[in-house]
């Protein structure tokens, strides 16, 4: 183990990335626990991603980590970024859904839910799913400005305007935001 650590440091310092990866793979094989193995694999994936600019190698390695531990949020976040940069929208959608199920904190969850709605709307063209997601967000956080703005934009662009208006009308009526509702109706007409 100490020999592998020394080789790892040597190859890292010399920027001999393939040798470094080989040392990490050997280290993973003798890892004393799944946690230790996941950490080593995270290093492998990061090397693929950051040093070798090998998104495919990084994705395969992060996916392996998530197969071992579906709740490994660091790997899911990395996959999320990679899928977005590679425009692999269906995979990103799945990763966002996994993160939503795992993260804690209302703001973090709302942020992920909004990103999922945006992904459905903009990249996947699934306006029905986007509207369902936007409606759910406003049920939990009626003042979520990004969601309100996205729905208002849908009305201005006449993209499922009837449904977007119905969602906004319900939300803004409950909040008694009459002036905003009047402006939205003007955009609609």
């Amino acid at each position: 183990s100490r020999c592998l650590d020394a080789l790892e440091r040597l190859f890292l310092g010399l920027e001999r990335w393939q040798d470094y990866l080989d040392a990490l793979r050997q280290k993973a094989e003798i890892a004393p626990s799944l946690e230790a193995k996941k950490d080593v694999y995270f290093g492998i994936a990061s090397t693929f991603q950051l040093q070798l600019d090998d998104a495919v190698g990084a994705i395969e390695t992060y996916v392996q980590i998530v197969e071992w531990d579906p709740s490994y949020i660091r790997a899911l976040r990395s996959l999320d970024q990679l899928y977005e940069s590679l425009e692999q929208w269906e995979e990103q959608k799945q990763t966002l859904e996994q993160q939503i199920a795992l993260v804690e904190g209302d703001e973090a969850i709302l942020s992920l839910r909004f990103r999922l709605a945006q992904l459905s709307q903009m990249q996947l063209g699934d306006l029905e799913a986007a509207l369902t997601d936007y409606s759910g967000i406003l049920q939990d956080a009626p003042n979520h400005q990004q969601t309100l703005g996205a729905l208002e934009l849908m009305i201005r662009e006449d993209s499922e305007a009837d449904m977007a208006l119905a969602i906004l009308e319900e939300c803004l009526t409950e909040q008694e935001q009459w002036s905003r509702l009047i402006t939205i109706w003007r955009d609609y007409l």
Side-chain angles (χ1 to χ4, degrees), residues 108-161:
I109 293 169
L110 282 174
S111 175
L112 289 168
R113 288 173 64 193
F114 180 75
R115 287 185 56 221
L116 180 59
Q118 289 278 279
L119 178 74
S120 294
Q121 178 186 355
M122 304 295 192
Q123 278 74 35
L124 298 174
D126 188 348
L127 299 180
E128 187 176 319
L131 287 164
T132 299
D133 290 340
Y134 288 142
S135 179
I137 292 168
L138 291 177
Q139 287 174 4
D140 295 337
N143 290 316
H144 193 262
Q145 294 304 309
Q146 290 175 300
T147 300
L148 293 169
L151 289 166
E152 289 172 13
L153 183 61
M154 289 180 82
I155 290 170
R156 284 193 298 278
E157 293 179 346
D158 198 24
S159 176
E160 291 292 331

Side-chain angles (χ1 to χ4, degrees), residues 11-12 14-22 47 51-52:
F11 293 141
L12 178 62
L14 294 173
E15 296 184 4
R16 290 178 45 185
W17 302 119
Q18 289 304 326
D19 292 328
Y20 177 67
L21 288 173
D22 289 342
T47 302
Q51 305 304 330
L52 298 175

Side-chain angles (χ1 to χ4, degrees), residues 4-42:
L4 280 176
D5 290 340
L7 280 174
E8 179 186 340
R9 286 190 304 276
L10 174 69
F11 293 141
L12 178 62
L14 294 173
E15 296 184 4
R16 290 178 45 185
W17 302 119
Q18 289 304 326
D19 292 328
Y20 177 67
L21 288 173
D22 289 342
L24 287 178
R25 286 185 189 104
Q26 290 176 23
K27 187 174 181 178
E29 285 180 25
I30 62 168
S33 68
L34 182 57
E35 282 303 310
K37 188 172 188 170
K38 289 186 306 190
D39 289 342
V40 173
Y41 263 69
F42 195 86

